[in-house]
Amino acid sequence: MNNPLNTIEKNILEKIAGISELPRGAYNIRVDGKSIGSSSTDDIQIIFKTDKSGMDIRVKPGTRHDHVHIPVVLSKTGHEETVYNDFYIGEGADVTVVAGCGIHNPGASRARHDGIHTFHLEKNSRVRYIEKHYGAGEGSGERILNPVTNVFMEDGSYMEMDTVQIEGVDSTKRITEAELKDGATLVIKEKLMTSGTQFAETEFRVELNGEGASTNVVSRSVAKGKSKQVFLSRINGNAPSMGHSECDAIIMDSASVQAIPEITANHADAELIHEAAIGKIAGEQILKLMTLGLSEEEAEAKIVEGFLK
Amino acid sequence: MNNPLNTIEKNILEKIAGISELPRGAYNIRVDGKSIGSSSTDDIQIIFKTDKSGMDIRVKPGTRHDHVHIPVVLSKTGHEETVYNDFYIGEGADVTVVAGCGIHNPGASRARHDGIHTFHLEKNSRVRYIEKHYGAGEGSGERILNPVTNVFMEDGSYMEMDTVQIEGVDSTKRITEAELKDGATLVIKEKLMTSGTQFAETEFRVELNGEGASTNVVSRSVAKGKSKQVFLSRINGNAPSMGHSECDAIIMDSASVQAIPEITANHADAELIHEAAIGKIAGEQILKLMTLGLSEEEAEAKIVEGFLK
C-alpha cells in the first residue's frame, strides 16, 4: 500500500500516535474531516456512522491484547469538526485504543476538533486508552481541542486513560464522565502543559455505583507564561467503594492554576481521598542542577520534563 | 451582683462559653434578643448599635492578653434574630473573643440565631476567636444557627478561629471570608458533628493578598445517622503566600459528606495545598479497643471523641 501521508501529517502522527506509516491491525486515520485509510480485523470492526460524523468501534468478546489506532489530523486553517466515536468492548476483551489529535494550523482562522468518545465496557473487559493532543503551525489561528469521554463500566471491567497535552493547543475544555458498577476500576493519568495565553480546563466526574468500584485520578500539570488552567474533579462514592484524586501543578511566570477536587461520600463504606498542591519549582532543586553545570533555564526545563514523565 | 441566670441558661452558658456566672472583664450576655448583663473595661469598649441589633466591640491599641465574652442564648421557641457585631482590634492588641450561641428550644416553632461578625484587625494585632454552638430542648422545633464571619487583616496581624458544633443544631450554614495583607496569618480549626437529619454547610473563602500572608484551614467532622455535611473552602493565592486546607471526615450510618476545597494560585510564588479524606472508622481501631473490654458502640464513641478533641 502507498503511504498517503505528507511530511506534516507524518510528523503529527508521529507526535500523537507514535506512527509515521499506516499502522498494522485495526485503524482509521482521519485527516481534515476525511478518512484517508481504514481497516477492520476479525476482532475489531470499524463501522462509519451514517447519521453523523464518526465511527462505531466494536471489539469482540474475549479479544486478547489487541489495539486500534484512530488518530485525527487537522492541517487546514478554518476547519472545525465534531466527531462521535462509540466503542463497544465485548466481555473479557483486552484492547489498547490510541486516539490522539494533532492540529497544524497554517493560517489565521481557527482549527477545532471536538471528539465525543463513548465507551461501553462489558463485564471483565480491559481498555487502555491513550490520547495525545498536540498543536503546531506558523499561522495565528487558534488550535482548539475539546474532548468529551463518556465511560460506562460493567462488573469487573478495567480502564486506564493516559492523556497528554504538552504543546501547542491554545484552548482545551476536557470533560470525562464515568459510571462504575461492581468491582470496576478506572485509572486516569493526565499530563498537561500550557504556555503563552493558552487555556486548559479539565473536568472529571466519576460515579462509584457498585460494590468494590474504585478510581484513581492523577493530574500533573505545568503552567507557564500567562496561561490559565482549571482542574475540576468530582468523585461520588455511592456504594462501598474507593476513590482517590490527586492534582499537582507547577506554576511559573504569570500563570494561574485553579484546582477544585470535590469528593462526596453517599455511603458509609465509601472511602474517598483527594490531595492537591500548586507551587513553583523549589529553589534548591534548581540550585542542585546548576551546580552540575546547567543554566537556570536548563535546570527548570529538566525538572519540568521529569515532572511530566 | 445577683446572678440573673436561670438553670437552663446557666447550663447553656457553661456549654458554649465555659461560664455559669457573669464573667469578669468585658462582656455582653444576650438572652432571647435582650442584653441581660454587659460591661466594658478601659481597654475593651462594648457599644450597642442604635440602627440595628448588635454591638461594636472596640479593643484599644496595645491591649495585652485580654478577653471579651459575648455569648448568646435562645431559650424561647419561635424566636428568630439576626445580630451584627463589629470588632475593631487596635494596633498591637492581643485579645481572646469567646462568642458561642446555645439554643434551648422547648416548643414546636423554630429558633434561629444568625450572627454576622466582622473583624477589623489593625497592624500586628492578635485575636483568638472561640465559637461554640450547641442545641438542646425537648421541643420538635428546629434549632438553626447561621454564623457569618468577615475578617479584614492588616499587615502582620494574626487570627485563630476555633469553632465547635458538636450537638443539637438542626441546620447550620456557616460562611467565613477573610482578606489578608502582608505577613498576616489566619488559622481556622473547625470541629463538627451531626446526627439524625441534621444539615451542616461550611464555606471558607480566604484571599491571600499580601506578601508572606498565610492560612491554615483544618476541618474535622463526624456525620452520623442520616445527616448531611458540605465543606467548601476557597483559598486564593494572589501574592507570594502560603495556604493549606485540610478536611477529614468520619462517615457513619447513612450519612453523606461532601468536600469541595478549591485552591487557586494567581501568583507564581503562591504555594497552595489541600487534602481531604472521607471514610468510616477503621475496623482494626474498633477491634483494638474491643480487646480492651469496650463494646463496639463504646469503642466507636471513644474514637469519635478522640478525633474531635
Side-chain angles (χ1 to χ4, degrees):
Chain A
M1 193 192 289
N2 288 330
N3 191 333
L5 302 164
N6 68 31
T7 311
I8 286 176
E9 290 161 1
K10 277 186 197 170
N11 281 344
I12 291 179
L13 279 178
E14 178 64 43
K15 287 264 188 193
I16 61 170
I19 54 175
S20 52
E21 314 242 322
L22 296 182
R24 290 165 188 275
Y27 71 86
N28 179 64
I29 299 178
R30 181 185 175 101
V31 177
D32 298 324
K34 285 183 193 137
S35 171
I36 63 155
S38 175
S39 171
S40 292
T41 64
D42 283 351
D43 287 339
I44 304 177
Q45 291 286 313
I46 293 182
I47 304 130
F48 291 98
K49 288 185 187 296
T50 50
D51 58 334
K52 54 189 171 184
S53 196
M55 307 170 281
D56 287 351
I57 292 109
R58 294 185 175 274
V59 178
K60 256 196 195 161
T63 297
R64 302 310 296 166
H65 307 303
D66 211 340
H67 56 260
V68 51
H69 286 79
I70 52 162
V72 171
V73 176
L74 264 62
S75 68
K76 285 189 185 144
T77 196
H79 184 80
E80 301 198 32
E81 62 181 21
T82 303
V83 178
Y84 299 84
N85 293 332
D86 295 322
F87 300 78
Y88 299 91
I89 316 296
E91 193 170 331
D94 180 344
V95 69
T96 298
V97 178
V98 181
C101 179
I103 300 180
H104 183 275
N105 188 349
S109 300
R110 65 189 211 171
R112 176 181 57 84
H113 174 79
D114 294 357
I116 320 292
H117 287 186
T118 303
F119 285 85
H120 302 271
L121 276 78
E122 295 299 330
K123 278 187 186 175
N124 302 318
S125 63
R126 295 176 70 88
V127 172
R128 183 159 179 235
Y129 179 66
I130 300 170
E131 183 202 81
K132 287 191 186 159
H133 283 171
Y134 168 73
E138 54 289 349
S140 60
E142 275 191 299
R143 300 175 291 259
I144 304 171
L145 288 165
N146 298 315
V148 174
T149 310
N150 300 305
V151 184
F152 300 95
M153 301 183 73
E154 293 295 329
D155 294 358
S157 61
Y158 175 92
M159 179 151 167
E160 183 179 323
M161 282 180 68
D162 288 333
T163 67
V164 180
Q165 178 193 309
I166 298 296
E167 205 185 330
V169 179
D170 294 304
S171 174
T172 192
K173 196 168 172 180
R174 166 190 301 280
I175 298 172
T176 303
E177 301 199 326
E179 295 178 17
L180 279 69
K181 292 193 178 166
D182 290 1
T185 300
L186 175 64
V187 176
I188 297 173
K189 298 176 190 167
E190 175 184 74
K191 284 170 192 169
L192 189 62
M193 185 156 76
T194 53
S195 58
T197 56
Q198 294 173 357
F199 172 77
E201 181 175 312
T202 307
E203 186 175 340
F204 297 104
R205 183 173 62 81
V206 182
E207 302 286 343
L208 300 170
N209 294 332
E211 193 169 338
S214 69
T215 191
N216 189 17
V217 179
V218 179
S219 168
R220 290 197 152 198
S221 72
V222 176
K224 297 179 178 182
K226 294 182 173 178
S227 65
K228 283 190 192 311
Q229 295 182 2
V230 180
F231 171 85
L232 301 123
S233 90
R234 266 187 210 100
I235 300 178
N236 295 322
N238 308 315
S241 54
M242 293 184 69
H244 175 256
S245 151
E246 186 181 327
C247 163
D248 284 308
I250 289 180
I251 183 171
M252 295 164 82
D253 311 321
S254 312
S256 84
V257 177
Q258 184 170 38
I260 314 171
E262 181 175 327
I263 51 176
T264 305
N266 294 315
H267 194 289
D269 290 308
E271 286 190 43
L272 306 176
I273 294 176
H274 66 61
E275 308 154 72
I278 307 172
K280 62 175 177 177
I281 298 170
E284 66 255 40
Q285 274 192 285
I286 293 176
L287 281 176
K288 202 165 136 192
L289 289 176
M290 286 172 76
T291 59
L292 299 173
L294 273 61
S295 72
E296 192 175 338
E297 290 71 32
E298 288 168 342
E300 270 191 4
K302 204 82 192 163
I303 292 163
V304 163
E305 194 192 317
F307 180 72
L308 291 178
K309 213 162 230 167
Chain B
M1 195 191 292
N2 288 330
N3 192 333
L5 301 164
N6 68 31
T7 312
I8 285 176
E9 291 160 1
K10 276 188 198 169
N11 281 344
I12 291 180
L13 279 178
E14 178 64 43
K15 287 264 187 193
I16 62 171
I19 54 175
S20 53
E21 313 242 324
L22 296 182
R24 290 165 189 273
Y27 70 87
N28 179 64
I29 300 178
R30 181 185 174 102
V31 177
D32 297 324
K34 285 183 193 136
S35 171
I36 62 155
S38 174
S39 170
S40 293
T41 63
D42 285 350
D43 287 339
I44 303 177
Q45 291 286 312
I46 294 182
I47 304 130
F48 291 100
K49 288 184 187 294
T50 51
D51 58 333
K52 54 189 171 183
S53 196
M55 308 170 280
D56 288 350
I57 293 109
R58 296 187 172 274
V59 179
K60 256 197 196 161
T63 297
R64 303 308 297 165
H65 305 304
D66 211 340
H67 56 260
V68 51
H69 287 79
I70 52 162
V72 171
V73 175
L74 265 61
S75 68
K76 285 187 186 145
T77 197
H79 184 80
E80 302 198 31
E81 62 181 21
T82 304
V83 179
Y84 299 83
N85 293 331
D86 296 322
F87 301 77
Y88 299 90
I89 315 296
E91 193 171 331
D94 180 345
V95 69
T96 298
V97 178
V98 181
C101 180
I103 301 180
H104 184 276
N105 188 349
S109 300
R110 64 189 211 173
R112 177 181 57 84
H113 174 79
D114 294 356
I116 320 292
H117 286 186
T118 304
F119 285 85
H120 302 270
L121 276 78
E122 295 300 329
K123 279 187 186 172
N124 301 318
S125 64
R126 294 175 70 88
V127 171
R128 182 158 181 237
Y129 178 67
I130 301 170
E131 183 203 80
K132 287 191 186 158
H133 283 170
Y134 168 73
E138 52 290 348
S140 60
E142 275 190 298
R143 301 175 290 261
I144 302 171
L145 288 164
N146 298 315
V148 175
T149 311
N150 300 306
V151 184
F152 300 95
M153 302 183 72
E154 293 295 330
D155 295 357
S157 61
Y158 175 92
M159 180 152 167
E160 183 179 324
M161 283 181 68
D162 287 333
T163 68
V164 180
Q165 178 193 308
I166 299 296
E167 206 185 329
V169 178
D170 294 305
S171 175
T172 191
K173 196 167 172 183
R174 166 190 300 281
I175 298 173
T176 303
E177 300 199 326
E179 296 177 16
L180 280 67
K181 293 193 178 166
D182 290 0
T185 299
L186 175 64
V187 176
I188 298 173
K189 297 177 190 166
E190 175 184 75
K191 283 167 192 171
L192 188 63
M193 186 156 76
T194 53
S195 58
T197 56
Q198 294 173 357
F199 173 76
E201 182 176 310
T202 307
E203 186 176 339
F204 297 104
R205 185 174 59 81
V206 182
E207 302 286 343
L208 300 170
N209 294 332
E211 193 169 339
S214 69
T215 190
N216 191 16
V217 179
V218 179
S219 168
R220 291 197 151 200
S221 71
V222 176
K224 297 180 178 181
K226 293 183 174 178
S227 66
K228 284 191 192 309
Q229 296 182 0
V230 181
F231 170 86
L232 301 123
S233 91
R234 266 184 210 103
I235 300 178
N236 294 323
N238 309 315
S241 55
M242 292 184 69
H244 177 255
S245 152
E246 187 181 327
C247 164
D248 284 309
I250 290 179
I251 183 171
M252 295 164 81
D253 310 322
S254 313
S256 82
V257 177
Q258 184 171 38
I260 314 172
E262 181 176 325
I263 50 177
T264 306
N266 294 316
H267 195 289
D269 290 307
E271 286 191 42
L272 305 176
I273 294 176
H274 66 62
E275 307 154 73
I278 307 172
K280 63 176 177 178
I281 298 171
E284 65 254 40
Q285 273 192 286
I286 293 176
L287 280 177
K288 201 165 135 192
L289 289 175
M290 286 172 75
T291 60
L292 299 173
L294 272 62
S295 72
E296 191 175 338
E297 290 69 34
E298 288 167 342
E300 270 191 4
K302 205 81 192 162
I303 291 163
V304 164
E305 194 191 317
F307 180 71
L308 291 178
K309 212 161 231 169

